[in-house]
Amino acid sequence: MLRSLGLKLTLAFLTVAILSVTLVAIVIGQRTMREFDQFVSDRFQHTLIEQLTDYYASNGSWRGLLDERDHGPGGPRFMRTRPELAGITLLDANANVIFSNLPKGAREFPIPNSTYKEVALKVNNQTVGWLQLNLPPDNSALISGAAELEFLRRVRLATIYSAVATSLLAVLLGWLLARAISKPVRELTLATQAVAQGQLGHQVTVQSSDEIGQLATSFNQMSADLAHATQLRRQMTADIAHDLRTPLSVILGYTEALNDGKLSGDEEIYDTLHNEAKHLNHLIDDLRLLSLADAKELPLNLVEVEPAEVLQRTAAAHQMRAQQVGIALEITTPPALPTIIADPERLAQVLGNLVNNAIRYTKSGGVISLRAGLQGHAVLLQVQDTGAGIDADELPYIFDRFYRGDKSRSNSGESGLGLAIAKSIVEAQGGAITVESTPGVGSTFIVALPTA
Ligand code: ADP
């Protein structure tokens, strides 16, 4: 098993390069040999024909052609060609055999897979004889000159040199490429190890937009999310401890004083104790609801619900309180809206929560509007107020657990869980909750739920 990606890639490049170079070398080698073979054969025939016609032209006949005195021992060169290299028969214009290197009586020498051809020998456009040739498929044995052999040797050498050079280049390029590819992967590996060792939020530099670049971007996102989630969890534990301690210390203080006899119980003290206990109970209920929603175990009674009906019910429940603080509460719904699938109790809880917030953050004389509308396959339920609004830098956090906009109010009874619960409940019903707000003008909370 090769452990390094770089080594694997280098070897892969090298293998591909060697395979292709070998293939190219074989193809070029064969092709060169074939062409060269053809060239040799053509030249052999050409020289033979030229010598013969030249002889006839200067002599006026074939007579004396085979005379050894003119040509040296063995006669003309073509007579010395062995029949298995090329079968040669020369005939005069009347088809009488003048010369043949074939065995006596044979007209054709049986060279396997050979080609036979007959060429008319012409002098001044007159046929003066015939040359019958019987050539084998491989003419390399006809190669005579040192120049031809040298040419072949050079071609072979050049092929070997270029194969070696290409392979070396492939190793070098492969190594560089492999390094370029495996470097970001190595960096990512180190980064995941860093995260595993607790360096949450560790980031890598994204160097490209290819798959590895996308992996790096996803890693950065995941690492940042992990750091954020851990930070939230820590913060939440601290917030829970803090929120439980405040009412508990009140209860402890009073009960100890009552127990010591330093305080005698009266209705006001019992009321305070009861309220603090109720507050604790409420907080614990909220936390339980959130943990159920997180575990996707929030019991829901999903039925078809008329959007207008939910809004009317919410308005009726809060009309009185709004009036008491001088805020107008109005409803606008288009006449025919499709029904939605929701748990009516939970939905009323969410809307009640939003209206409660709206009343809390709107001054006397303001208006709270409850609206319903249709958008695609969703019904939008809106709670709009003309209150304080929310700063843009706070907007992303208001649905976070224990987030309270105004830190100084953190002891005034609000837990900072209201919107987090609303979000969990809406999402558990397959919906979404969003907010739009302009500081000083007002806020609009929008609950989108799928139609039936
Ligand atoms: P809280 O218990 O503090 O009301 P919520 O989760 O209900 O907690 O709200 C979180 C924060 O969002 C609030 O502290 C407040 O700053 C802001 N907020 C919520 N509703 C409104 C609103 N209608 N107008 C202005 N600010 C709001």
Side-chain angles (χ1 to χ4, degrees):
M1 271 285 268
L2 295 172
R3 283 170 154 249
S4 142
L5 180 63
L7 187 60
K8 275 187 202 162
L9 285 171
T10 311
L11 282 182
F13 285 127
L14 183 62
T15 315
V16 171
I18 287 182
L19 279 181
S20 33
V21 162
T22 314
L23 205 69
V24 169
I26 290 175
V27 170
I28 288 188
Q30 277 188 349
R31 182 90 208 156
T32 316
M33 279 319 288
R34 222 176 24 239
E35 292 294 324
F36 192 67
D37 203 50
Q38 187 62 45
F39 166 76
V40 167
S41 158
D42 286 351
R43 216 182 52 164
F44 173 77
Q45 294 172 40
H46 186 77
T47 317
L48 198 54
I49 293 168
E50 206 175 55
Q51 279 177 348
L52 289 172
T53 45
D54 278 359
Y55 181 85
Y56 193 95
S58 60
N59 235 36
S61 77
W62 292 117
R63 228 170 307 126
L65 172 73
L66 306 175
D67 199 338
E68 293 203 4
R69 264 167 303 165
D70 290 349
H71 303 283
R77 218 179 115 109
F78 66 85
M79 291 174 62
R80 284 174 266 142
T81 308
R82 278 182 286 131
E84 60 270 28
L85 300 184
I88 301 169
T89 303
L90 176 66
L91 309 161
D92 67 9
N94 301 321
N96 300 317
V97 175
I98 298 174
F99 164 81
S100 180
N101 66 347
L102 302 181
K104 277 237 166 349
R107 288 302 259 151
E108 265 178 45
F109 189 81
I111 302 172
N113 300 324
S114 61
T115 45
Y116 171 81
K117 65 184 191 184
E118 198 173 62
V119 187
L121 300 172
K122 290 187 175 177
V123 173
N124 297 331
N125 260 341
Q126 277 227 313
T127 303
V128 295
W130 301 89
L131 183 63
Q132 290 175 343
L133 285 168
N134 195 30
L135 293 164
D138 178 11
N139 295 295
S140 54
L142 289 174
I143 298 173
S144 47
E148 282 104 331
L149 290 172
E150 178 62 15
F151 169 79
L152 276 185
R153 199 182 65 85
R154 283 205 191 147
V155 168
R156 277 196 202 107
L157 256 175
T159 314
I160 292 172
Y161 281 157
S162 55
V164 170
T166 314
S167 300
L168 286 179
L169 202 67
V171 175
L172 184 72
L173 279 180
W175 179 69
L176 287 175
L177 254 163
R179 228 174 53 135
I181 294 175
S182 61
K183 189 170 160 252
V185 174
R186 255 199 322 276
E187 264 177 33
L188 269 171
T189 312
L190 288 178
T192 48
Q193 282 163 358
V195 170
Q197 281 159 13
Q199 279 183 49
L200 301 182
H202 186 91
Q203 301 281 296
V204 292
T205 38
V206 181
Q207 280 156 340
S208 58
S209 53
D210 56 10
E211 285 86 343
I212 292 182
Q214 286 164 14
L215 182 63
T217 311
S218 306
F219 171 84
N220 284 345
Q221 180 69 45
M222 186 198 71
S223 177
D225 287 352
L226 204 58
H228 182 61
T230 310
Q231 159 68 19
L232 275 186
R233 186 173 51 77
R234 287 204 190 110
Q235 183 63 44
M236 189 162 143
T237 316
D239 286 338
I240 292 174
H242 176 266
D243 278 44
L244 290 177
R245 201 173 56 199
T246 315
L248 266 180
S249 55
V250 174
I251 293 172
L252 269 180
Y254 274 116
T255 46
E256 272 168 17
L258 285 171
N259 203 24
D260 294 351
K262 287 181 190 151
L263 203 66
S264 55
D266 60 22
E267 201 169 327
E268 198 185 337
I269 289 175
Y270 295 138
D271 263 0
T272 309
L273 285 176
H274 184 68
N275 281 339
E276 293 300 330
K278 242 172 52 186
H279 181 66
L280 273 180
N281 199 31
H282 191 71
L283 188 66
I284 288 164
D285 278 351
D286 281 356
L287 287 172
R288 188 176 141 66
L289 190 144
L290 278 173
S291 75
L292 281 176
D294 282 348
K296 308 231 177 303
E297 283 171 4
L298 189 67
L300 287 173
N301 168 32
L302 294 177
V303 289
E304 277 191 39
V305 177
E306 290 283 350
E309 233 174 79
V310 202
L311 291 190
Q312 268 144 19
R313 184 174 152 189
T314 311
H318 294 84
Q319 195 73 58
M320 185 77 130
R321 219 164 68 79
Q323 245 168 30
Q324 280 168 356
V325 292
I327 295 173
L329 190 57
E330 48 181 52
I331 303 187
T332 326
T333 47
L337 269 182
T339 51
I340 48 178
I341 294 292
D343 178 330
E345 296 308 316
R346 295 287 185 203
L347 192 52
Q349 183 185 357
V350 169
L351 292 173
N353 201 317
L354 296 179
V355 173
N356 255 332
N357 276 352
I359 293 176
R360 193 182 305 150
Y361 299 109
T362 306
K363 287 209 183 80
S364 174
V367 181
I368 297 173
S369 317
L370 302 183
R371 295 211 181 95
L374 190 64
Q375 190 184 63
H377 292 294
V379 166
L380 306 183
L381 302 173
Q382 304 189 356
V383 178
Q384 186 177 43
D385 64 46
T386 54
I390 305 160
D391 286 341
D393 55 344
E394 288 194 42
L395 270 184
Y397 307 111
I398 60 166
F399 292 102
D400 286 356
R401 289 161 196 198
F402 289 104
Y403 182 83
R404 300 176 180 96
D406 184 350
K407 301 284 185 284
S408 61
R409 286 186 302 101
S410 52
N411 282 331
S412 65
E414 288 93 38
S415 63
L417 286 176
L419 289 180
I421 288 175
K423 184 171 189 265
S424 288
I425 293 177
V426 171
E427 285 176 358
Q429 299 178 55
I433 184 168
T434 50
V435 61
E436 290 160 7
S437 185
T438 314
V441 176
S443 316
T444 308
F445 284 85
I446 305 158
V447 174
L449 283 165
T451 52

